Every structure is written in structure tokens, then in C-alpha cells.
Amino acid sequence: MESIESLKDSLKDDKNREKKIELGKMLDKIKFNSQGLIPVIAQDVGTKEVLMLAYANQLALEKTMESGYAHYWSRSRKTLWKKGETSGNTQEVVSILVDCDGDALIYLVRQKGNACHTGERSCFYRSLWNAKMNE
Amino acid sequence: MESIESLKDSLKDDKNREKKIELGKMLDKIKFNSQGLIPVIAQDVGTKEVLMLAYANQLALEKTMESGYAHYWSRSRKTLWKKGETSGNTQEVVSILVDCDGDALIYLVRQKGNACHTGERSCFYRSLWNAKMNE
């Protein structure tokens, strides 16, 4: 007869396998670019403000889904990056959306503090052009 | 004495020169990637819904500012593309925002019809993951 412990272990294995299958199905929907990256729009789930645009590789995406906190790939530092790791301005991810082509993502987040390293709430705080300039 | 016509022409020249200087200043704030492209988030100016993510090159950006309608660079067709040119689902651009790094843009738009070629309002109509899946 199997011990309760080994039964628990086998159930855990089943759950892990299920999770891996689920993850595989998700990743099938996604097209990473030639550098293995996909652009991610971080959007405030409450106000709908667009906070930033960054990039994720497969590992960053897995870490995000595993932890529930936004992870990205830093192209300049060439490293996995948990948003807010040093600043404390973490992003709790409520859901992840994928576009029709599978080549862009939205992280819907609860932003702690400000998203931008400049101290602004959003990285998009500068206006480049507006329609009134054509009048 | 200058004719009124030539005076008008010279004023027009001045205005065009001013516009070119203004455009130059704007483009200075922007970093195109190695393919000469910058990602653009199209966001509904009213509802704040993120409609799509596409790419612009310098020409697409100039055409957008000149016409007040969203233009992009189609990476698959390798051509300048006015959104809604064939479908009629144009995007009137109210303003353009640039992020802190200058390597991503937002077009704040009035979307005519649907943004997505599938008939959905937004291209981001599929959920990949949500936090409840970790419970």
C-alpha cells in the first residue's frame, strides 16, 4: 500500500505536470522576436493609465506568472529584472493579455509607488505633438 | 516694394521653416531601433483602452503629425500604412506621448469602428493568465 506521503507527492507531481502543460499552451500563443523578446505594456488595472513599455523573454514571463509580480528582461543590463526590486515600486500583476498576432502583451497591474525611475507615475509624461499644433 | 503675394510666400516659407525646426526638435527626443522603428501603443483617448501595438518609422511619424491620422510601418508588408486605409477604421490622433527613454510612443486616438482586423474593438482581447490561476 502506498503511504500517504507518496500519494501526496504523486498528486503534487500531477499538479506540476498540469501546470507545465498549461504553461506550454500559453507560450504557444506567443511569438518572441528574433532576440527572444516580446514587448509588454504595463497598464494600471484601475485607472487604465499606460505606465511603461518594457520587454519580456520566456523566463521573465514564467517568473511573472509564477510570482504574480512583473518581471522583464533588461535589454541594457542583459539580465532578468523584477520591477521594483531595488526601488520597491513593484507591480502586482492581475492579468496578462495577448494581442491577436501574439507578438505583444499587456500586464494589467497594481502599481506600488511610481512606475517611472524619474519619479513620475507613468514613463509617458512628455507630449511630443498634439492635433492643435496643426490648426 | 515687395508684392503682397511675395510677402505671403515668404511668410509661408518662414512657417514651413518653423515647422521643420519644430519637427527636428521632436525627432531629437526619439530613439528609433536598429531597424529604424519605434513601438507605438494606440490608446483610446476617451476610454483609455489599449487598442493595439504597432511600429512607426520616421516617415510614418511625420505623416501622422502632418495628417492627424495614425500611420505605421508594416513590418510584414514592408510599407507605410495608414490605419484604416482599406477598412475605413481610421484613428484620428489627438496627441502623441513619448516615454522617458524616448524609445516608445503612445498615440492617443479617436478610433473609428474597431481597431482589430478580427472585428474586436481592441487587439488585446485574449487573456493569457490571471492571478486567480495561482490560488
Side-chain angles (χ1 to χ4, degrees):
Chain A
M1 202 188 90
E2 279 191 305
S3 72
I4 288 178
E5 281 315 309
S6 73
L7 206 61
K8 273 187 185 167
D9 280 350
S10 103
L11 281 170
K12 211 170 151 189
D13 281 352
D14 279 356
K15 212 173 170 190
N16 280 337
R17 203 174 52 217
E18 265 174 42
K19 272 196 174 179
K20 271 180 195 164
I21 293 169
E22 203 60 41
L23 182 66
K25 277 187 202 163
M26 284 173 203
L27 293 174
D28 278 350
K29 290 183 193 164
I30 292 176
K31 283 181 225 150
F32 294 97
N33 69 14
S34 57
Q35 286 109 56
L37 301 176
I38 186 164
V40 182
I41 300 161
Q43 185 179 24
D44 188 301
V45 70
T47 65
K48 292 196 166 188
E49 185 176 21
V50 171
L51 300 169
M52 54 187 269
L53 185 132
Y55 293 82
N57 60 2
Q58 187 172 323
L59 182 63
L61 198 55
E62 286 176 14
K63 288 277 176 195
T64 299
M65 294 192 284
E66 205 178 285
S67 67
Y69 282 88
H71 287 70
Y72 302 99
W73 177 256
S74 167
R75 295 176 305 164
S76 54
R77 288 180 285 125
K78 296 192 197 321
T79 174
L80 182 77
W81 160 49
K82 183 190 171 186
K83 171 72 183 163
E85 203 166 31
T86 52
S87 67
N89 294 346
T90 51
Q91 294 175 335
E92 191 188 337
V93 181
V94 175
S95 64
I96 303 177
L97 307 178
V98 57
D99 77 347
C100 53
D101 296 329
D103 60 5
L105 300 176
I106 294 178
Y107 287 174
L108 288 173
V109 305
R110 291 198 188 99
Q111 175 69 51
K112 200 170 160 188
N114 301 313
C116 189
H117 72 284
T118 62
E120 299 281 343
R121 172 79 181 161
S122 159
C123 292
F124 294 92
Y125 59 89
R126 293 185 296 168
S127 176
L128 187 72
W129 176 91
N130 69 71
K132 283 182 189 153
M133 291 163 76
N134 284 17
E135 281 167 12
Chain B
M1 202 188 92
E2 278 191 306
S3 72
I4 289 179
E5 282 314 308
S6 72
L7 206 63
K8 273 187 186 166
D9 279 351
S10 100
L11 280 171
K12 211 171 150 189
D13 281 353
D14 279 356
K15 211 172 173 194
N16 280 338
R17 204 175 50 218
E18 264 174 42
K19 271 197 175 178
K20 272 182 194 162
I21 292 168
E22 203 60 40
L23 182 66
K25 276 187 202 162
M26 283 174 202
L27 293 174
D28 278 350
K29 290 183 194 164
I30 293 177
K31 283 180 223 150
F32 294 97
N33 69 14
S34 56
Q35 287 108 57
L37 301 177
I38 186 165
V40 181
I41 301 161
Q43 186 179 22
D44 188 301
V45 70
T47 65
K48 292 196 168 188
E49 187 177 19
V50 171
L51 299 169
M52 53 186 271
L53 185 132
Y55 293 82
N57 61 0
Q58 188 172 322
L59 182 64
L61 198 54
E62 286 176 13
K63 289 276 177 196
T64 300
M65 295 192 286
E66 206 178 285
S67 67
Y69 282 87
H71 287 69
Y72 301 98
W73 178 256
S74 166
R75 295 178 303 165
S76 54
R77 289 181 284 126
K78 298 192 196 320
T79 176
L80 182 76
W81 159 50
K82 183 189 171 188
K83 172 71 184 163
E85 204 166 32
T86 52
S87 67
N89 294 344
T90 51
Q91 295 176 335
E92 191 189 337
V93 181
V94 176
S95 64
I96 303 177
L97 307 178
V98 57
D99 77 347
C100 53
D101 296 329
D103 60 5
L105 299 177
I106 294 178
Y107 287 173
L108 288 173
V109 305
R110 291 197 189 99
Q111 175 70 52
K112 200 170 159 191
N114 301 314
C116 189
H117 72 284
T118 61
E120 299 280 343
R121 173 79 183 161
S122 159
C123 292
F124 293 93
Y125 59 89
R126 293 184 295 168
S127 176
L128 187 73
W129 177 91
N130 70 70
K132 282 181 189 153
M133 290 162 77
N134 284 17
E135 280 167 11

